[in-house]
Amino acid sequence: MSTKKKKFSFPYTTGILIIAIIMLFLPLILLNFIDFKVIESNPFIFKIIILISTLLSASGFIYCTIGFHHKIVSGDELKFRIHLEALNIAFTTTLVFLFALIFIFINFQPTLLNYLILIVAIIAIVAYLIGVEIVKRKYR
Amino acid sequence: MKNILHILRAEKRYSQDDLAKLVDVSRQTINAIEREKYDPSLPLALKIAKVFNKKVEEIFFLEEV
């Protein structure tokens, strides 16, 4: 006898994504409202707030990443193909930029190496979005 | 890869949207297949063949040299 397992379909991804973004910026928002003296006198509470909000934000982003991936994989096959080809473009672009930026930063601006991951992440997202548009045109 | 999908679809008087719903893909996928911009996966080709009650090779075939 075969039993059919009900697949988890990752609901509420958009809502969770919005909450994750809010949680990411929550410490910055709180800093505007809480008096700096309060933070100085009791830094532990503020550290806990940062820890919890960052943890929730990271969990939210991981859930959404897996959720969107699941939706694309189990959805329309042309969209999946476009996604894969755009990822290919994004990956190659990111790799080229990574090596170029490492070379430039090490030789001319070593302090910018601190922001390398952030810069590369932004490049990857932009390259993916441009890649999707380029690949879409191919199949239109 | 060549195909006669648009002819079969016209014979059955299906719109691209109708066929897309029958084989569980988007209308854009059917459009891309008909315009020979995209080669369908084997499961999708089999689904399309089943809808038109034909063999896969009767619908999809390689370009003759």
Side-chain angles (χ1 to χ4, degrees):
Chain A
M1 197 173 75
S2 64
T3 50
K4 264 193 175 178
K5 272 185 185 175
K6 201 181 175 186
K7 279 185 180 175
F8 183 62
S9 60
F10 293 90
Y12 314 115
T13 38
T14 314
I16 290 170
L17 184 66
I18 293 165
I19 292 167
I21 292 166
I22 293 168
M23 284 294 154
L24 187 67
F25 293 105
L26 187 70
L28 283 175
I29 298 163
L30 283 177
L31 271 175
N32 290 322
F33 295 104
I34 301 171
D35 193 13
F36 195 70
K37 282 174 189 169
V38 178
I39 299 165
E40 262 190 342
S41 62
N42 206 344
F44 181 74
I45 291 173
F46 196 69
K47 273 182 186 172
I48 288 289
I49 292 170
I50 291 175
L51 183 73
I52 291 168
S53 68
T54 316
L55 192 71
L56 287 174
S57 170
S59 315
F61 280 119
I62 291 166
Y63 177 85
C64 289
T65 308
I66 298 169
F68 286 129
H69 174 77
H70 178 265
K71 271 182 190 167
I72 287 175
V73 168
S74 56
D76 182 47
E77 66 173 59
L78 181 62
K79 281 179 187 164
F80 181 51
R81 176 74 169 265
I82 291 168
H83 169 69
L84 286 183
E85 288 189 28
L87 273 183
N88 189 13
I89 292 171
F91 182 76
T92 314
T93 312
T94 310
L95 214 58
V96 170
F97 267 88
L98 178 70
F99 290 127
L101 288 174
I102 287 173
F103 173 79
I104 293 165
F105 289 169
I106 284 177
N107 288 294
F108 304 106
Q109 200 66 263
T111 49
L112 279 177
L113 280 170
N114 293 328
Y115 306 101
L116 193 65
I117 291 174
L118 191 68
I119 295 166
V120 165
I122 292 166
I123 289 169
I125 292 165
V126 173
Y128 175 77
L129 295 174
I130 294 170
V132 166
E133 290 307 313
I134 291 168
V135 179
K136 261 186 190 172
R137 212 172 288 168
K138 195 172 108 181
Y139 292 113
R140 211 170 274 160
Chain B
M1 195 164 70
K2 294 264 175 197
N3 69 71
I4 54 160
L5 193 57
H6 64 289
I7 298 169
L8 294 171
R9 196 169 55 74
E11 280 175 1
K12 286 249 183 184
R13 298 191 177 193
Y14 286 151
S15 66
Q16 284 187 344
D17 205 32
D18 294 334
L19 181 58
K21 279 173 187 160
L22 283 170
V23 293
D24 200 24
V25 291
S26 67
R27 191 194 58 77
Q28 285 81 0
T29 305
I30 299 297
N31 184 46
I33 295 169
E34 280 188 7
R35 291 164 71 91
E36 288 160 13
K37 302 250 179 187
Y38 172 67
D39 295 333
S41 66
L42 187 58
L44 179 57
L46 287 165
K47 274 186 193 173
I48 292 169
K50 198 178 174 187
V51 166
F52 294 111
N53 208 15
K54 286 190 179 290
K55 288 177 181 172
V56 174
E57 61 267 31
E58 287 175 325
I59 304 173
F60 301 98
F61 41 88
L62 291 171
E63 205 170 346
E64 283 178 28
V65 185

